[in-house]
Structures are given as C-alpha cells and as structure tokens.
Amino acid sequence: MKIIKKIHKAEYRPIADLVTYSPMPTRSLSMIDPFLFLNHHGLQTYPANNHGLPFGPHPHRGMETVTFILEGDIMHSDSTGKNSVIGPGGVQYMTAGKGLIHAEVSSPEFKRKGGELEILQLWLNLPAAKKMIAPNYIGLQKEEIPAFELDHGKVYIQQLFGEWNGVKGVFEGNFPIQMSTIYLDKGGKFEKSIPASENVFFYIVRGELKVNGEGLHMRHLIEFANSGEKIEVEALEESILILDHALPFNEPVVAQGPFVMNTQQQIYEAYQDYQAGRFA
C-alpha cells in the first residue's frame, strides 16, 4: 500500500466575509507537482441580499483551474466571451494558457435569496510547452458529468479527467491526469491502485475516512510517498473526497499573483502583456 508521508491541515484564510481554508500552499507544503493550490470556501450560509463571492475581474496565465461547486452557485464570465452559471454538483474547467481575464461571482438569484455555499478551486500547472496555449473554459452541471457507483451504491464517483472503472472523464486535459470527486455514505469502501511514479492529490472535503488503516478528518490534505500503489478508503461517516493523480512535470515553477510560469522573466512579461491589454 502507499505510505502516508504527511497530513496537512488546511489553514483558515477568510476572504472578506467568505469562509476560506487552504491546505496548499502552506508553510509545510508548497505544492504537489503538478497540483499548485487549493482554496476551500465554506461551508457557510449566506443571508438574503448578500454580496456573494468577491472574485471580480482578474487575470491568469500559465495555469488551469478546476472549480467544484458543492453548494450554492458560481457565475463565470471571461474575456474570451464564455459565460455560465453552474449550480450544486457542477464543475468548471478553465485553461488560462497565454492569458485571460475572468470573474467568478454569485448569481443575482443567489445574492437575492441567499443559502448554503461551498466551493473549492484547485489550480493545476501547465507544462512549459503549453504555457502559452489558447485559453478555454467549460462549465458543466451535475447531470452532464459522467459518474458511477461502487460498493453497492455506497460510493458515488464523478469522473472528471482520465478513466476509472471503464468510465471516461468528461474533460480532456492538457496533460495526462486522473481526477474524481467521490461521495461516500457511512461505511462505503473502495480501493484504487496508482503507479508509484505519480503524485497523488487527496483532499478530504467533508467527513472522516480511514485511509490505508489511518483515521483522517475533513479539511486535511494527505501527502503520499512515491512508493507502493494501493490506496484503501473507508468512510467512517458521510464524506466527500477529491482524488487526483498525475506524473510530476519536474520543471521550475515561478508563481507570482495570478501567473504561474517557469522563469521570473516570464512573470515580468505576463504583467507587461496584461497591462498593455494583450490578454484575450
């Protein structure tokens, strides 16, 4: 079985009135190549006539985002002309590539009515050869995402990237990657074999799991050593898990603000291009 190297507790980092936790990057973990960053917003209840999400127009270059909407909604618009409102169970996949400007806010209906909100955003690196590809965005509702069940229905898996159990992920990534959102009823079990050469991103969103015999709690990111292959998971209570894996790029990473490149010169050029209006 894979060895658990370290357990990282998400740090509390509120943004305005938005409850936010982040397990990476922190003082103990800079990244798990090619996984760069995770923000976990909520779970919280917004009152009626709220301001919603605070992420107005801002740029990105050299990376991708995957946004998981568990409760509430998120309204996306960007400088390529893409727009959507994605609700609970939906997922957004955005490739910044050579550069775009986007906004991620709550819909007018959510701001008017309020309600529960829980949204996670994961940043993926792009390999050096693809840093400057054309930007793209896809937003899908829950019913548009392929899913399957294990353990007699106690484990429900949305397949986002890659293939598992004969189910192909809904998104075509810009590098080989496996990514799933996993919902487990209490007592639900599954196991998965992941090559020792691949890095694993394993974040417990809600609940409590036993992972390779060790009890682990919500808002913790589990870092595995690159040895062994099997991960065994059992839900000690109703839980949600994000499980991803990919080969590391082993390339230099220079991240500054919303840009993720390979050199400081490329970061400088990104700021120059953004200020000159050269983003899509």
Side-chain angles (χ1 to χ4, degrees):
M1 288 196 293
K2 283 191 175 295
I3 297 170
I4 295 175
K5 182 179 178 180
K6 196 167 184 180
I7 301 166
H8 303 271
K9 183 177 180 180
E11 296 181 355
Y12 180 53
R13 299 175 183 171
I15 302 170
D17 62 350
L18 180 62
V19 172
T20 301
Y21 298 86
S22 182
M24 185 180 77
T26 63
R27 290 180 292 272
S28 65
L29 181 66
S30 60
M31 63 180 287
I32 298 176
D33 185 9
F35 308 99
L36 297 171
F37 170 94
L38 180 73
N39 261 352
H40 180 179
H41 307 298
L43 178 68
Q44 69 187 98
T45 302
Y46 272 78
N49 301 313
N50 63 82
H51 296 294
L53 295 170
F55 305 114
H58 57 281
H60 285 293
R61 173 178 279 183
M63 38 71 73
E64 305 185 299
T65 63
V66 182
T67 306
F68 308 81
I69 300 91
L70 302 184
E71 304 290 346
D73 68 26
I74 185 167
M75 185 168 68
H76 169 100
S77 60
D78 65 47
S79 53
T80 72
K82 300 289 181 67
N83 299 277
S84 70
V85 177
I86 304 299
V91 176
Q92 298 175 321
Y93 172 43
M94 186 188 80
T95 299
K98 64 182 181 181
L100 56 64
I101 300 167
H102 76 149
E104 300 164 302
V105 297
S106 300
S107 70
E109 181 180 9
F110 183 85
K111 289 191 283 187
R112 183 174 66 254
K113 293 182 177 179
E116 289 192 331
L117 181 142
E118 186 169 23
I119 292 173
L120 298 93
Q121 185 169 96
L122 174 65
W123 289 20
L124 305 176
N125 199 7
L126 279 170
K130 293 189 175 182
K131 288 288 188 187
M132 298 296 283
I133 61 175
N136 191 38
Y137 167 83
I138 303 171
L140 298 177
Q141 308 292 356
K142 179 181 179 180
E143 58 270 19
E144 299 177 285
I145 300 171
F148 62 95
E149 295 180 345
L150 297 175
D151 195 12
H152 308 287
K154 292 182 181 179
V155 180
Y156 174 85
I157 300 171
Q158 288 183 313
Q159 193 62 17
L160 306 181
F161 294 84
E163 186 173 322
W164 184 7
N165 199 42
V167 177
K168 190 174 185 300
V170 70
F171 300 119
E172 289 289 342
N174 285 297
F175 57 91
I177 181 173
Q178 292 264 352
M179 182 179 297
S180 309
T181 313
I182 305 174
Y183 299 78
L184 302 100
D185 293 336
K186 183 177 180 180
K189 300 178 182 178
F190 74 91
E191 64 178 50
K192 189 172 189 186
S193 291
I194 299 171
S197 57
E198 296 190 11
N199 285 347
V200 178
F201 185 90
F202 189 109
Y203 181 70
I204 304 171
V205 181
R206 297 186 196 172
E208 183 177 357
L209 303 175
K210 183 185 288 185
V211 181
N212 288 359
E214 185 167 348
L216 302 167
H217 301 274
M218 63 184 291
R219 298 198 193 106
H220 283 79
L221 177 66
I222 315 309
E223 184 182 3
F224 288 92
N226 291 102
S227 60
E229 293 192 350
K230 187 185 293 185
I231 296 178
E232 294 181 346
V233 177
E234 178 183 357
L236 303 180
E237 59 184 54
E238 188 174 331
S239 302
I240 301 176
L241 166 69
I242 295 173
L243 174 56
D244 316 333
H245 52 97
L247 286 168
F249 297 165
N250 296 318
E251 297 176 346
V253 175
V254 180
Q256 189 171 324
F259 306 133
V260 182
M261 304 303 290
N262 301 109
T263 68
Q264 189 62 48
Q265 176 62 28
Q266 291 171 339
I267 293 289
Y268 173 73
E269 291 168 359
Y271 276 104
Q272 276 194 319
D273 288 347
Y274 170 58
Q275 291 163 1
R278 298 191 187 103
F279 279 23

